[in-house]
Every structure is written in structure tokens, then in C-alpha cells.
Amino acid sequence: MAMNRKAAMGFIFITLLIDVTGFGVIIPVMPQLIEQLLGVDDISKASQYGGWLTFAYAFMQFLFAPVLGNLSDKYGRRPVLLFSLFGFGIDYLLLSFAPTIAWLFLGRLIAGVTGASFTTASAYIADISTPENRAQNFGMIGAAFGLGFIIGPLLGGLLGELGPRVPFIVAACLALMNWLYGYFVLPESLDKEHRRPFEWKRANPLGSLLQLRKYPAVGGLIGSFVLIYLAAHAVQSNWSFFNIERFKWTPKMIGISLGVIGVLVAAVQGGLVRVVNPRLGNERSVYIGLGLYALGLLLFAFASQSWMMFVFLIPYCLGGIAGPALQSIISGHVPPNEQGELQGALTSLMSATSIVGPLMMTNLFAYFTHKEAPVYFPGASFLLGAVFMLASAIWAYIALRKDHTK
């Protein structure tokens, strides 16, 4: 059984690695492609469209993630994961040949419907984990994310020199290769004895979130998750736009910076979490991690030299010890046959914040960088993100303290 679990973790790790690499390839050139399709040379305006593209993806994922999560509880993780990977391949093909900005939105809508790879992977990992190694195994998601962000953005930055559409073609090939890999290699993790019937009332965003009320500790941590997800969009939605505006970075430089982020995230999630979290405990890991996130965001906001962005990545990425610990606490309160529903609900929650977060952060960036801005401050979104991270730590402390007193 132990060997089977190790093999399964290897399969899911490779699947996520290829998935994230495909996603990372397109990031350095997305601002350039948006400007090209709009026929403008205005990074402030492009950032606003970037926010709306993320909104389109997140809105569809908000609606469909609980459906796919519940389907994985009924039919197993493998078919749902394969469906998701195939959908990403179609999305990237549409983006590769998009003649207008509307085609970009169409591709993002399709990806939002099918984009449950991390949702299903989280449920998969919960299936094969024990209470002792759950946090470390969830850290492997972050490690795959980190390594994918080493390979993907570096490759995207180099391919972007050939044209803004080339990375999208490569991303499509990677996604479809990943689908084939999963079809032939990925085993099922949820046996039939632990499956449950599909229920529509539990397969919608509101229904899946309401189900979390059965677990008071989980429900109490929802507010903390919301603030973390919102804060993360200060970086996720703004990194390319901020550094193009503030330091005149090229797609190649953006790719290099994202590669550095990948190295740090992989080191923290794949290595440090396995050493530090068991010693600190999950709760202390959450508080310390969120504090480091806040520090990194604050430093980003006031960076005045290009090299500072690389140095300040260190405390920000060290904050990554918080995520696996928080996810371990939550999943530990939920039985095996409801892990898919839980992960679907959390993905819907993440998608809901991705509806608000990118628009909030990119428009805040646009407001403080346009020609008539009252104050020029491109780091405003990072500052707001730091505030959200500190508030999240306070919220988590209150929720966990209540759980201990019961």
C-alpha cells in the first residue's frame, strides 16, 4: 500500500508539473498579446483587459468546480482530471489562433468550465494521504507549481522572442500531451466503497459551501481563505504589468523572474514544508507563513530598484509554509467520501475571489499608473495585499481558537 501511494504521488506530481508548465509558458507574453489584439501600446489599459480575462475564467470555474468535484466523488478522480486536462488543451489552441480579443475571452470561458485539475488533484492527494503526511503531500502541489514556474515562464520568455502566439501553441501541445500521459499512466485513487451519489443541491457553488457548515472549524476558516486568495492576486494578476511599468521589463525578464519564483516555491513546498511544518505544527506554520507573505508584499510595494524584486521574493515565497498547513487542518475535518466536494467548494471559493481579486488589483494598478492619476504608485495593489494577509492571520487565529475551546 505504501509503495502504491508513493507511485500515485509521482503520477499526480508529473501531471500537475506539466499542467503548470503549460500555464506558465503564456504568462510573459499575455500583456503583449492583449496590446496586439487591442491595437494599442498602453500597459495600463492592457492590465484592465487582463483583469477581465481572469474574471471570465474565474466566473465559469466558480460555477463548475463544485459540479466536477462532486462528479469526482461519484465516478472517481481519474476521469474528471482527464476531462480537465483536455479542456485546457482546447483553450490554449483557441488562444494560439485568436484573431480578436473576443476569442481570448471564449478560450478563457472554456478553460473555466473544465479547469478542475488542481481541485481534483487535491482530492486525489487527500485520498492517498494519512493524517501524518497530509500536509507534506499537499506541499507537493506547491512543489509542482514551483517547478512548473521554473520551466514554463523561462520557456515562455524565450519563445516570446519569436512572437506572442508561439508560447500558446507550446502550451496547447503540453496540455494535450499531459492528457495522453494521464490516460495511459494515472491510476484511480477513490475506490468504489468510498464513492457517493451525485446530488445537484450539493453540486452548485452555494450548496457546496453550505455543506461546509457541518464542520465548524472548516466554516470558520473560510474567511481566512478568502483574504489569502484576494491578497494573492496582487502578485498573480499584477506581476507582469507592474514590472513592465515600473522597471521596463521585457517578456524574457518576466520569464526569468517567474522562473526564480518557481525555484523558491519548489524549494519551500517540496522541501522546507516537510521539515519545518512537522516541527512548528500546522497552526504556527499558518501564522508565521501569513506574516512572511505580508512582509514580502509590503516590500514589493515600495521597491525602487529592479534587483529588489528578486530579493523580496525570499520572504514572500517562504510564506508558502502556510498553505499546506491550512489545507491539512481543513481536510482533516472531512471524511474520505466528501474530499472531492470539499476541494470543489474551496476551488469555488478561490474562483469567487478570482472574480473580484483580479478586477480589484488590476484596476487599482491602472488607477495609480494612468496619466491623470492623483498619485503615481504602481505598488498600491501589493500594499493592499499585505493588509489582507495580516487580516487573514488574525481571522485564522480566531477560528482555530474557537475550535480548541469546543
Side-chain angles (χ1 to χ4, degrees), residues 69-215:
N70 277 265
L71 285 173
S72 79
D73 281 341
K74 177 177 173 59
Y75 296 108
R77 316 303 183 199
R78 185 176 182 275
V80 175
L81 187 57
L82 292 177
F83 173 72
S84 173
L85 297 175
F86 186 77
F88 271 123
I90 299 302
D91 166 45
Y92 293 138
L93 283 175
L94 283 173
L95 298 181
S96 300
F97 300 103
T100 66
I101 196 75
W103 282 87
L104 288 187
F105 280 96
L106 177 62
R108 292 285 79 191
L109 290 171
I110 292 173
V113 172
T114 63
S117 56
F118 274 79
T119 302
T120 313
S122 297
Y124 192 109
I125 289 172
D127 292 339
I128 63 174
S129 297
T130 64
E132 293 75 23
N133 66 12
R134 186 176 286 118
Q136 295 96 312
N137 284 347
F138 276 125
M140 293 303 291
I141 296 179
F145 186 89
L147 286 173
F149 257 59
I150 297 170
I151 302 167
L154 285 173
L155 185 61
L158 294 172
L159 292 173
E161 300 293 311
L162 303 175
R165 295 178 185 270
V166 176
F168 290 89
I169 297 172
V170 173
C173 293
L174 286 172
L176 293 175
M177 286 170 56
N178 198 9
W179 171 68
L180 286 173
Y181 169 81
Y183 182 82
F184 288 108
V185 177
L186 190 68
E188 180 55 66
S189 64
L190 186 66
D191 57 61
K192 292 183 179 180
E193 290 75 19
H194 287 105
R195 298 182 188 182
R196 64 175 181 82
F198 180 85
E199 300 176 56
W200 277 109
K201 68 179 181 180
R202 298 170 69 170
N204 63 81
L206 182 59
S208 62
L209 290 174
L210 288 176
Q211 286 295 317
L212 298 180
R213 293 184 304 176
K214 295 186 296 185
Y215 312 104

Side-chain angles (χ1 to χ4, degrees), residues 328-344:
S328 177
I329 293 170
I330 289 176
S331 67
H333 285 78
V334 177
N337 66 349
E338 295 182 10
Q339 288 292 333
E341 179 180 42
L342 169 66
Q343 301 304 333

